[in-house]
């Protein structure tokens, strides 16, 4: 396509008239407005909730919240396990320091 | 009817005022939307949605611009939203086709012939409209408002809420891009 042809194409809308709206435009518009006003609120909310973007967003949020909760649970369990182990170690140290093992108590009782 | 009085009556919910508004502006809204969407059925749908939005949000119109400017702005916004939704559906359809979920035959849309174009220019205008579809949104809007709707640079600037210099830049770049696009066509 040469420049002259391109120029002609670029100027092809010069002097054009405007398109007119279809004949029953206003009638259909009023019907549309009436229909919109008669949609119950729950239906319009339902349509919003059913949108994929909303569903995917909500699902992603639930997944993230679940992961955070699980992570927290695992950390708490680890902390509890460590605490128990610490307590056991402390108790064992106490037993050894004061020589309070079962065998010792029984042998002391026997000797006495 | 005087515009401030019409706006006041619209905000008071007077049905007669709304009917008057639609009668006065339906053609300019339809023509603008048609120029952007290039499809008569889509244009009627979107043009009606423009007036639905006007009906629902006239209370928020503060009269800082002319009523026509506001209408053009809503028409442009709704048209671009429609096009973006349509593009998203097309992209999703490509993904669906990968999974074999194809239930419609997809084909290129037919040539668009604007009813207001003179017969001797119809074929050239069809090529121009096809090339316009490839323009970035700002350039497409500015070019459509100028060439299809016949708005001045100042009026376009008010609709797009940019400076006149920006409108000149959009139109200059639009013409450059259209030349490239047309040169690539057979």
């Amino acid at each position: 396509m040469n420049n002259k042809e391109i120029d002609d194409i670029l100027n092809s809308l010069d002097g054009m008239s405007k398109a007119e709206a279809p004949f029953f435009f206003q009638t259909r518009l009023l019907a549309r407005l009436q229909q919109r006003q008669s949609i119950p609120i729950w239906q319009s909310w339902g349509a919003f909730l059913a949108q994929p973007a909303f569903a995917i967003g909500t699902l992603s949020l639930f997944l993230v919240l679940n992961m955070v909760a699980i992570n927290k649970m695992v950390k708490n369990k680890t902390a509890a396990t460590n605490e128990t182990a610490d307590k056991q170690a402390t108790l064992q140290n106490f037993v050894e320091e004061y020589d309070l093992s079962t065998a010792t108590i029984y042998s002391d009782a026997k000797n006495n | 009817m005087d515009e401030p009085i019409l706006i006041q009556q619209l905000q008071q919910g007077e049905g007669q005022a709304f009917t008057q508004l639609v009668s006065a502006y339906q053609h300019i809204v339809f023509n603008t939307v048609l120029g952007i969407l290039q499809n008569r059925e889509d244009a009627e749908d979107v043009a009606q949605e423009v007036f639905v939005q006007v009906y629902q949000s006239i209370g928020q119109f503060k009269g800082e611009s002319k009523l026509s400017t506001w209408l053009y702005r809503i028409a442009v916004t709704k048209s671009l939203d429609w096009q973006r939704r349509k593009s998203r559906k097309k992209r999703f359809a490509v993904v669906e086709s990968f999974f074999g979920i194809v239930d419609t035959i997809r084909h290129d849309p037919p040539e668009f012939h604007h009813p207001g174009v003179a017969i001797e220019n119809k074929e050239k205008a069809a090529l121009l409209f096809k090339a316009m579809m490839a323009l970035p949104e700002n350039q497409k809007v500015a070019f459509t408002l100028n060439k299809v709707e016949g708005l001045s640079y100042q009026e376009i600037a008010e609709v797009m809420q940019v400076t006149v210099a920006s409108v000149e830049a959009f139109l200059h770049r639009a013409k450059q891009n259209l030349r490239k696009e047309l040169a690539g066509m057979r």
Side-chain angles (χ1 to χ4, degrees), chain A residues 7 17 19 21 28 32 36, chain B residues 19 27 31 44-45 49 116 179:
Chain A
D7 283 340
S17 54
R28 288 187 199 141
R32 187 182 284 236
R36 289 286 162 87
Chain B
T19 307
H27 301 306
N31 190 55
E44 187 181 348
D45 213 337
E49 286 300 321
R179 282 188 177 281

Side-chain angles (χ1 to χ4, degrees), chain A residues 78-94:
Chain A
T78 312
T81 310
N82 289 343
E83 201 185 322
T84 308
D86 284 344
K87 278 185 183 168
Q88 292 278 39
T90 311
L91 194 63
Q92 188 61 32
N93 285 342
F94 183 79

Side-chain angles (χ1 to χ4, degrees), chain B residues 123-181:
Chain B
E123 289 309 317
K124 290 177 195 158
L127 289 172
L128 179 57
F129 274 111
K130 189 175 178 181
M132 280 163 65
M133 283 305 242
L135 289 175
E137 285 182 352
N138 279 338
Q139 293 173 25
K140 188 190 299 182
V141 167
F143 193 82
T144 304
L145 289 176
N146 182 241
K147 290 288 187 180
V148 179
E149 193 51 28
L151 296 189
S152 67
Y153 287 21
Q154 179 61 43
E155 286 169 324
I156 297 170
E158 286 167 13
V159 170
M160 295 180 73
Q161 294 177 294
V162 296
T163 61
V164 171
S166 296
V167 172
E168 286 172 355
F170 292 148
L171 287 171
H172 177 69
R173 274 182 244 142
K175 282 174 190 161
Q176 282 182 324
N177 286 332
L178 287 168
R179 282 188 177 281
K180 277 185 211 165
E181 191 68 26

